[in-house]
Amino acid sequence: MAEAFPVGPEGARFAADRMLGRLARWLRILGHDVAYGPHLGGRTLVRCARQEGRLILTRDTRLRRDPHLPPHVFVTSDHFREQLRQVAAAVPLGGAPLLGRCLDCNRVLAEVPREGAEGRVPPFIYQCHDRFLGCSGCGRLYWPATHRAHILRELAALDLTVSRS
Ligand SMILES: [Zn+2]
């Protein structure tokens, strides 16, 4: 069923089981909208997915017995790279803007003028970077250049290609 799950230009919408924290974070790095938190498990996860039209990612075998389970991917591996491969096989993951979301609270990030970052990031970071993104939810600032090389290496190892925006 996951094959038919719609993926818009802003990426896919997932509801990740609370057991899948590292996978959820990587899907956010890839720019996807991922509902995730300590409260999201079992029936709560299913309710969230149904109400918000999200694809369920779960390792919970009890959910598998539900014949009316909304679109879902049963994640079989313990290892996040294998998990990411499994999701990528079900849903195209490459189309969303890389590092477009807060890794902590899932909100879309907005450009912050460079002066606006002064004093909010370590001075050496401020000196070395021109581009900053901010989260309107938790206030966290991101400087994408630092993480981009690492992320692209990791994705290349996974045979995942992403847009470079
Ligand atoms: Zn945030």
Side-chain angles (χ1 to χ4, degrees), residues 11-145:
R13 288 164 60 77
F14 298 104
D17 202 298
R18 59 187 162 213
M19 293 179 270
L20 296 172
R22 199 161 179 201
L23 175 64
R25 195 173 169 86
W26 270 91
L27 290 170
R28 284 177 182 166
I29 287 173
L30 290 171
H32 301 286
D33 177 348
V34 187
Y36 168 79
H39 62 294
L40 279 181
R43 303 317 302 174
T44 312
L45 180 72
V46 175
R47 205 175 310 123
C48 164
R50 201 169 262 139
Q51 281 170 359
E52 300 178 14
R54 294 173 180 277
L55 178 64
I56 294 175
L57 306 175
T58 185
R59 301 207 59 200
D60 188 344
T61 50
R62 286 168 305 175
L63 292 183
R64 196 195 281 262
R65 297 190 208 118
D66 178 356
H68 306 294
L69 194 62
H72 57 273
V73 174
F74 270 106
V75 175
T76 52
S77 177
D78 282 330
H79 303 285
F80 90 92
R81 288 188 185 86
E82 209 42 59
Q83 294 173 342
L84 203 52
R85 273 203 198 93
Q86 207 191 335
V87 177
V91 182
L93 292 181
L98 199 63
L99 285 173
R101 284 182 181 271
C102 181
L103 303 188
D104 291 331
C105 63
N106 195 44
R107 288 194 196 219
V108 174
L109 301 176
E111 293 279 345
V112 172
R114 190 163 179 273
E115 314 78 70
E118 192 171 16
R120 295 173 65 196
V121 299
F124 70 96
I125 294 290
Y126 183 73
Q127 293 304 323
C128 302
H129 294 274
D130 292 329
R131 186 164 178 252
F132 295 92
L133 299 172
C135 173
S136 63
C138 67
R140 188 171 164 183
L141 282 185
Y142 293 81
W143 42 102

